[in-house]
Amino acid sequence: MSKKYNISVEATLEVIGGKWKCVILCHLTHGKLRTSDLKRHMPNITQKMLTQQLRELEEDGIVNRISYNQVPPKVEYELSEYGQSLRTILDSLCAWGERHIIREYGDKFAVLEDNVLNHKDLEDQPDGIEQL
């Protein structure tokens, strides 16, 4: 293997970096979702980008693609066991982002879309994440 990283966070970002992967993963922490569900939760992502990101996450072993043999075809995505290991990272990123929004804008709901991921209270965040 000729791949070299300067620091280990580069390896993390290589797998979950970019605009959409963490958002997809955060939605999948709530359970299995179909592509159409993810698209509905993320209206600003194109279908092409969503498909590409899901394929990359599947190739990296972060998500499982479950294909049901039925008509019409049904496909769901879920976090793999390996993907589940990202939960604390994702929770920490969400908590920090929420605190940053509050710090910058005061009211988080003034700038956050109304969706299921934005209704967690700060008190529900993992230990070790301090208020700004």
Side-chain angles (χ1 to χ4, degrees):
M1 171 168 271
S2 61
K3 182 89 175 185
K4 292 277 191 180
Y5 296 103
N6 186 37
I7 59 174
S8 55
V9 73
E10 290 178 63
T12 306
L13 292 174
E14 186 174 77
V15 176
I16 66 168
K19 182 174 180 179
W20 297 110
K21 285 184 180 175
C22 282
V23 179
I24 292 167
L25 294 172
C26 285
H27 283 293
L28 291 177
T29 63
H30 293 278
K32 293 178 190 173
L33 290 172
R34 297 176 75 164
T35 309
S36 58
D37 297 326
L38 286 164
K39 182 74 176 92
R40 191 176 66 254
H41 291 313
M42 302 163 49
N44 294 328
I45 192 171
T46 65
Q47 186 63 48
K48 179 181 176 184
M49 180 60 70
L50 178 58
T51 301
Q52 177 186 330
Q53 300 292 277
L54 286 166
R55 282 187 184 139
E56 289 175 12
L57 289 166
E58 184 183 8
E59 287 171 14
D60 287 326
I62 305 301
V63 300
N64 294 326
R65 182 181 189 271
I66 305 157
S67 186
Y68 298 91
N69 190 13
Q70 66 181 55
V71 177
K74 178 180 175 183
V75 175
E76 291 180 324
Y77 292 89
E78 67 179 358
L79 287 179
S80 66
E81 186 176 334
Y82 186 48
Q84 293 285 350
S85 67
L86 290 167
R87 275 178 154 320
T88 55
I89 294 169
L90 296 168
D91 287 344
S92 295
L93 286 169
C94 287
W96 189 91
E98 187 169 304
R99 289 186 176 92
H100 175 72
I101 288 169
I102 291 168
R103 179 178 181 220
E104 293 295 312
Y105 303 99
D107 177 14
K108 69 179 182 177
F109 294 109
V111 294
L112 282 177
E113 297 281 341
D114 183 24
N115 71 49
V116 66
L117 296 182
N118 295 330
H119 293 288
K120 289 175 98 177
D121 292 329
L122 288 174
E123 296 80 43
D124 293 340
Q125 299 305 323
D127 291 338
I129 301 175
E130 299 176 15
Q131 294 262 2
L132 293 177

